[in-house]
Amino acid sequence: MRVLDSEFAKGFCRMCVDGFYQGWHERNGGNLSYRIKDEEIASVKEELKEDGEWKEIGTSVPALAGEYFMVTGSGKYFRNVEIDPAANICIIKVDDKGENYQIQWGLVNGGRPTSELPSHLMNLEVCKKRNPEIRVVYHCHPANTIALTFVLPLDGDVFTREIWEMATECPVVFPDGIGVVPWMVPGGREIAVATSEIMKKQDVAIWAHHGMFACGTDFDITFGLMHTVEKAAEVLVKVMSMTDRKRQTIEPDMFRALNGPFGIKVNENCLYEKKSDKIGEK
Ligand code: 2HA
Ligand code: ZN
């Protein structure tokens, strides 16, 4: 089968387009990666090239040794993925040490995988360890979530709590909550390590003054997670535009009441008793 006829490539491209139309991918902003299943890579083997140069990932991901990934290209625009996937995305293989990669398909006009490859692969590695079904890592620049990083404390528990309160579905969709990475230089190992520390336990990491990372078992779940967080962030921006205090909200015991019916365990660290009714204060 040709790569672009495969369901995983179609799902990958559709997610890029959907993200672009949400307004989350100005210029070359954002990146997407997918850890390809054995049977999926076997089905497209005829189109893979094994003679490319091996290049350093910039970090070490031994638990991903020998695996294949579909990733967006560095400097490529999400907007262009639909019209010319083969020029804007690629399939890479990670070597048997987990330190180098080789492009085996795509980026036909040249280029390299996303500048955030270290973060993507380190996140995919820690996620695989906690749940081998997690295969998608998505990074984008959603405006409302980014706006909140200027006014809320950069504390994952506070971010989670304030965002959870904006929509009852939030704790059901991400019961473990959200982590926050303070401003750091993007693209390197340091921010990758900080993000992957969060992804050991949580599916969402916010990068202050930059954007968001989300992981999931498939494209729908990962896109839906990003969409849910950003929608709740939009509601919070609207509320904060009207007032710095809420008249009423979802209280800790109301969150706890969701555990049974939805089969979840909401993260108790985020259900602290507030000492102030001012939004963002603990
Ligand atoms: O330009 O989003 O974080 C791609 C990015 C870098
Ligand atoms: Zn970014």
Side-chain angles (χ1 to χ4, degrees):
M1 192 189 337
R2 299 188 59 92
V3 169
L4 292 176
D5 292 330
S6 69
E7 287 306 313
F8 74 89
K10 288 183 198 164
F12 187 100
C13 294
R14 179 173 169 224
M15 183 146 160
C16 292
V17 175
D18 287 347
F20 173 72
Y21 285 111
Q22 287 296 328
W24 299 341
H25 298 282
E26 75 292 341
R27 203 172 181 276
N28 61 319
N31 20 77
L32 176 63
S33 61
Y34 172 67
R35 185 164 60 84
I36 303 171
K37 295 177 185 166
D38 291 346
E39 64 271 22
E40 289 171 333
I41 200 69
S43 73
V44 299
K45 208 78 192 178
E46 67 195 58
E47 266 204 293
L48 303 182
K49 296 194 179 62
E50 298 187 333
D51 55 359
E53 202 185 326
W54 286 94
K55 296 193 175 140
E56 286 179 3
I57 295 167
T59 190
S60 167
V61 284
L64 301 180
E67 291 211 64
Y68 294 79
F69 302 84
M70 178 164 267
V71 298
T72 48
S74 177
K76 305 297 183 192
Y77 291 29
F78 268 52
R79 186 174 160 249
N80 293 335
V81 168
E82 186 175 34
I83 52 159
D84 196 356
N88 292 289
I89 65 177
C90 61
I91 291 176
I92 58 167
K93 181 178 186 178
V94 169
D95 70 359
D96 54 15
K97 291 213 250 358
E99 288 178 0
N100 301 284
Y101 71 85
Q102 182 188 54
I103 298 176
Q104 295 208 348
W105 176 89
L107 291 175
V108 292
N109 302 326
R112 49 196 167 77
T114 165
S115 60
E116 303 293 357
L117 191 64
S119 280
H120 278 265
L121 292 182
M122 289 190 85
N123 288 335
L124 285 163
E125 185 182 47
V126 298
C127 290
K128 181 185 172 188
K129 287 180 186 167
R130 84 172 145 96
N131 174 4
E133 302 290 307
I134 299 180
R135 297 185 169 275
V136 183
V137 167
Y138 181 35
H139 167 61
C140 67
H141 298 168
N144 295 287
T145 302
I146 296 170
L148 292 176
T149 67
F150 295 89
V151 295
L152 292 183
L154 299 178
D155 172 324
D157 294 345
V158 174
F159 252 86
T160 303
R161 175 67 173 277
E162 296 297 348
I163 288 179
W164 274 0
E165 285 185 30
M166 294 301 109
T168 298
E169 71 171 328
C170 284
V172 177
V173 174
F174 47 101
D176 300 317
I178 298 171
V180 179
V181 177
W183 189 88
M184 288 170 103
V185 176
R189 188 171 181 280
E190 199 192 349
I191 197 166
V193 170
T195 313
S196 64
E197 278 302 312
I198 290 170
M199 291 238 168
K200 281 180 182 168
K201 292 202 187 111
Q202 295 170 311
D203 294 340
V204 187
I206 291 172
W207 282 6
H209 323 322
H210 182 146
M212 185 154 42
F213 266 84
C215 69
T217 51
D218 64 26
F219 298 117
D220 280 346
I221 285 179
T222 313
F223 188 85
L225 173 58
M226 189 68 82
H227 208 176
T228 304
V229 176
E230 172 60 5
K231 174 77 181 283
E234 182 181 351
V235 179
L236 185 52
V237 167
K238 288 182 196 293
V239 172
M240 293 181 85
S241 306
M242 294 184 279
T243 177
D244 64 351
R245 279 153 225 275
K246 296 167 201 146
R247 180 180 286 268
Q248 56 271 322
T249 187
I250 307 172
E251 301 290 350
D253 279 342
M254 297 156 85
F255 287 117
R256 292 185 184 105
L258 299 168
N259 283 337
F262 288 95
I264 53 169
K265 181 84 195 74
V266 292
N267 185 346
E268 280 288 330
N269 294 339
C270 308
L271 298 183
Y272 48 84
E273 282 302 326
K274 292 189 181 178
K275 292 181 199 72
S276 158
D277 63 353
K278 194 154 181 278
I279 296 171
E281 255 160 62
K282 259 196 166 172

